[in-house]
Amino acid sequence: MTVSNSSSENFRFALRVYWEDTDAGGVVFYANYLKFFERARTEWLRALGFSQEPMRSVERAMFVVSETAVRYLQPARLDDWLEITVRLVEQGRASLAVAQQAWRAGPGTAPQLLAEGTIRIGCVDVQTFKPRRIPAGILERLGA
Amino acid sequence: MTVSNSSSENFRFALRVYWEDTDAGGVVFYANYLKFFERARTEWLRALGFSQEPMRSVERAMFVVSETAVRYLQPARLDDWLEITVRLVEQGRASLAVAQQAWRAGPGTAPQLLAEGTIRIGCVDVQTFKPRRIPAGILERLGA
Amino acid sequence: MTVSNSSSENFRFALRVYWEDTDAGGVVFYANYLKFFERARTEWLRALGFSQEPMRSVERAMFVVSETAVRYLQPARLDDWLEITVRLVEQGRASLAVAQQAWRAGPGTAPQLLAEGTIRIGCVDVQTFKPRRIPAGILERLGA
Amino acid sequence: MTVSNSSSENFRFALRVYWEDTDAGGVVFYANYLKFFERARTEWLRALGFSQEPMRSVERAMFVVSETAVRYLQPARLDDWLEITVRLVEQGRASLAVAQQAWRAGPGTAPQLLAEGTIRIGCVDVQTFKPRRIPAGILERLGA
């Protein structure tokens, strides 16, 4: 997979690196890639037709992250334009896993892979945090 | 000023509220409006033709915030679509002040003012943090 | 007031600056002083005998910040040891205001004032976000 | 290993969960465990006699995280008192790996494991981000 891959199986979300994302090393603080990955997953779900706020208030269901494995390859810097990809790699009734990558993009530069990882997500009840089935509507769309 | 005002004196920047922005109160953590305001100022400067990274590495100059005054009127929530405005209200040789607002926007809803404030910014040397003149190129564009 | 002042009217809370607090300027990101101030207020309330979590789940009340005014005087850096002060300056039935300061402290260095401001806080219902009286127990202790 | 284990091989660092750490799910935002882990590693290095700021400004060396693998088991909530452990599990000339855990602690409650993971760290030059030997003084202490 490359960032220029037009395959429909990879969702892509672009963002800018701001001061808030960086640390005194002059680069993006490593924990913030998890934020970037989450923004992309949120927009991926939205593109599939789901907002997490109604899912929470109406269905009383919520996605929580149960496992993350991330490799940090190259640092991103202030003002960088990043593209974050999302690819569904595993799907169960109450959980799913996505592979995600962060690429440095932008005009006139070859795309460069900065970080990549796998994020495992479970669906839980908003009150008890006990695992529960992913709402049927979402399961259907994911399967499509 | 309203969010639908098309006057060129107000720069506008849109963003989505993600999980990372919220707190256990179910709303955007108040300190994060300062991040939203900063993203908008960064894009405002970029729209004027300036990136802060070259300003830092080449001119050895950096903008730092010296004063903030913010009123929080209504809470923003997960998935909200916000518009952040920037309006230059004061300009000196080494500092400037901008008035900023955060509006809840989005299709089918009347814009609602969530937070507003004034941010004072000074230009400093990247090493010493001593005040210095704003680079001439930026001063010119701001004045325009 | 100085950081070595032992007056009982100033509550003090100490913290360390970590990577997460800094930005690419090499110093603490200015919005993070609001986090530091909040940590100190939380511990100040705890020292008065109140935890916000039971206040939220039992009394269904929550403090929200309605206004902040902060001046940033000197930058804090990685590894700095800070002392954050809290002083109640105004108290109503549904709101209060505190003056807060951030000092660089640590062995062998004269305390240095880095940032200071006033934070106005309102008590609201956790569901509606409508203003409500501060729980009686807290009002009493604040008044003492 | 348990949190009450007094073995010298596990460094422990305690912290409180504040509003800034939580999200609209009512619990600690998962990316923030990486911040907690980093605070603990910083204090672990400090306990071994090293501050990262002089390492950066004098030795021109910096630790960067190259890989993280974390499992999130139970959610932490506002006001929770956490203990974060650090255990060196691998040591090379330019990199090391630590196993870290986050436990809910506090008076009157049995310790509960909330999250655990392995963090791989590399030593790099502060300018080029190229791998370099860990400063000799640190290597010695780690080996001890």
Side-chain angles (χ1 to χ4, degrees):
Chain A
M1 199 220 85
T2 76
V3 78
S4 55
N5 186 341
S6 64
S7 155
S8 65
E9 71 177 338
N10 289 311
F11 177 82
R12 271 145 79 200
F13 172 74
L15 60 87
R16 176 80 65 186
V17 173
Y18 295 111
W19 282 100
E20 67 190 84
D21 304 312
T22 60
D23 69 20
V27 300
V28 167
F29 183 64
Y30 76 109
N32 290 340
Y33 289 95
L34 291 184
K35 295 185 179 181
F36 298 165
F37 285 175
E38 171 129 19
R39 292 183 204 173
R41 290 195 308 273
T42 294
E43 296 303 337
W44 167 66
L45 286 174
R46 194 187 318 280
L48 288 173
F50 295 94
S51 288
Q52 290 178 80
E53 180 53 37
M55 176 174 154
R56 192 163 74 98
S57 53
V58 180
E59 304 243 24
R60 312 302 290 161
M62 185 164 67
F63 283 122
V64 295
V65 170
S66 59
E67 207 170 332
T68 58
V70 182
R71 290 193 311 139
Y72 306 89
L73 307 170
Q74 293 290 332
R77 293 170 191 278
L78 191 63
D79 283 341
D80 277 351
W81 183 249
L82 305 188
E83 289 197 358
I84 314 295
T85 64
V86 184
R87 185 165 54 91
L88 184 65
V89 290
E90 202 184 307
Q91 187 194 327
R93 294 181 135 206
S95 72
L96 47 88
V98 294
Q100 299 201 252
Q101 296 182 315
W103 292 79
R104 183 185 289 118
T109 61
Q112 190 174 19
L113 182 60
L114 305 181
E116 64 180 348
T118 303
I119 313 293
R120 185 168 296 277
I121 294 159
C123 190
V124 300
D125 179 272
V126 293
Q127 286 298 330
T128 63
F129 274 77
K130 292 229 171 98
R132 48 153 286 171
R133 259 190 88 124
I134 297 171
I138 297 182
L139 270 188
E140 267 167 42
R141 303 269 185 122
L142 289 173
Chain B
M1 197 221 88
T2 74
V3 78
S4 55
N5 187 340
S6 63
S7 156
S8 64
E9 72 178 337
N10 289 311
F11 177 82
R12 272 145 80 201
F13 172 73
L15 60 88
R16 176 80 65 186
V17 174
Y18 294 111
W19 282 101
E20 68 190 83
D21 304 312
T22 61
D23 70 18
V27 301
V28 167
F29 183 63
Y30 76 109
N32 290 340
Y33 289 95
L34 292 183
K35 294 185 178 179
F36 299 165
F37 285 175
E38 172 131 19
R39 293 183 204 172
R41 291 196 308 274
T42 294
E43 296 302 337
W44 167 67
L45 287 174
R46 194 187 318 278
L48 288 172
F50 294 95
S51 289
Q52 292 179 78
E53 181 52 38
M55 176 175 153
R56 192 163 74 98
S57 53
V58 179
E59 303 243 23
R60 312 300 291 160
M62 183 164 66
F63 282 123
V64 295
V65 170
S66 59
E67 208 171 332
T68 59
V70 182
R71 290 192 313 138
Y72 307 88
L73 308 170
Q74 293 291 333
R77 293 171 191 277
L78 189 63
D79 282 342
D80 276 350
W81 183 249
L82 305 187
E83 290 196 359
I84 313 295
T85 65
V86 184
R87 186 165 53 92
L88 184 65
V89 290
E90 204 185 305
Q91 187 195 325
R93 294 181 135 205
S95 71
L96 48 88
V98 293
Q100 299 201 251
Q101 295 183 316
W103 293 79
R104 181 185 291 119
T109 62
Q112 190 175 16
L113 183 58
L114 305 181
E116 62 180 348
T118 303
I119 313 293
R120 186 169 295 279
I121 294 158
C123 191
V124 300
D125 180 272
V126 294
Q127 285 298 329
T128 63
F129 273 77
K130 293 230 171 97
R132 49 153 286 172
R133 261 191 84 128
I134 297 171
I138 297 183
L139 269 187
E140 267 168 42
R141 303 266 186 124
L142 288 173
Chain C
M1 197 221 86
T2 74
V3 78
S4 56
N5 186 340
S6 64
S7 157
S8 64
E9 72 178 337
N10 290 310
F11 177 82
R12 273 145 79 202
F13 172 74
L15 61 87
R16 176 79 65 184
V17 174
Y18 295 111
W19 283 100
E20 68 190 84
D21 304 312
T22 60
D23 68 20
V27 301
V28 168
F29 183 63
Y30 74 106
N32 291 339
Y33 288 96
L34 292 184
K35 295 185 178 179
F36 299 165
F37 285 175
E38 172 130 19
R39 293 182 204 173
R41 291 195 308 275
T42 294
E43 296 303 337
W44 167 66
L45 287 174
R46 195 188 317 280
L48 288 172
F50 295 94
S51 289
Q52 291 179 80
E53 180 53 37
M55 177 175 154
R56 191 163 74 98
S57 52
V58 180
E59 304 243 22
R60 311 301 292 162
M62 185 163 67
F63 282 123
V64 294
V65 170
S66 59
E67 207 172 332
T68 58
V70 182
R71 291 193 311 140
Y72 307 89
L73 308 170
Q74 293 290 332
R77 292 170 191 279
L78 190 63
D79 283 342
D80 276 352
W81 183 248
L82 305 187
E83 289 197 358
I84 313 295
T85 64
V86 184
R87 186 166 51 92
L88 183 66
V89 290
E90 205 184 305
Q91 187 195 327
R93 292 181 138 206
S95 71
L96 47 90
V98 294
Q100 299 202 252
Q101 295 182 316
W103 293 79
R104 182 185 290 118
T109 61
Q112 191 175 16
L113 182 60
L114 305 181
E116 64 180 347
T118 303
I119 313 293
R120 187 168 296 277
I121 294 158
C123 190
V124 300
D125 179 272
V126 293
Q127 286 298 329
T128 63
F129 273 76
K130 294 230 171 97
R132 47 152 288 170
R133 261 192 85 128
I134 297 171
I138 298 182
L139 270 186
E140 268 168 40
R141 304 267 186 125
L142 289 174
Chain D
M1 196 221 88
T2 75
V3 78
S4 55
N5 187 340
S6 63
S7 157
S8 64
E9 70 178 338
N10 290 311
F11 178 82
R12 271 145 79 201
F13 173 73
L15 60 88
R16 176 79 65 185
V17 174
Y18 295 111
W19 283 101
E20 67 190 84
D21 304 312
T22 60
D23 69 21
V27 301
V28 168
F29 183 63
Y30 74 105
N32 290 339
Y33 288 95
L34 291 184
K35 294 186 179 180
F36 298 165
F37 285 175
E38 171 130 20
R39 293 183 203 171
R41 290 195 307 273
T42 294
E43 295 303 337
W44 167 66
L45 286 174
R46 194 187 318 281
L48 288 173
F50 295 94
S51 289
Q52 291 178 78
E53 181 52 38
M55 177 174 153
R56 191 163 75 97
S57 53
V58 179
E59 304 242 23
R60 312 301 291 162
M62 184 164 66
F63 282 122
V64 295
V65 170
S66 59
E67 207 172 334
T68 59
V70 182
R71 291 192 312 139
Y72 306 89
L73 308 170
Q74 293 290 332
R77 292 170 190 279
L78 190 63
D79 283 342
D80 277 351
W81 182 249
L82 305 187
E83 289 197 359
I84 313 294
T85 64
V86 184
R87 186 166 53 92
L88 183 66
V89 291
E90 205 184 305
Q91 187 194 327
R93 292 180 138 206
S95 72
L96 48 88
V98 294
Q100 299 202 252
Q101 296 183 315
W103 293 79
R104 182 185 288 118
T109 61
Q112 191 174 16
L113 182 60
L114 304 181
E116 63 180 348
T118 303
I119 313 294
R120 186 169 296 279
I121 294 158
C123 191
V124 300
D125 180 272
V126 294
Q127 286 298 331
T128 63
F129 274 76
K130 293 231 171 96
R132 48 153 287 173
R133 260 192 86 127
I134 297 171
I138 297 182
L139 270 187
E140 267 169 41
R141 301 270 186 124
L142 289 174

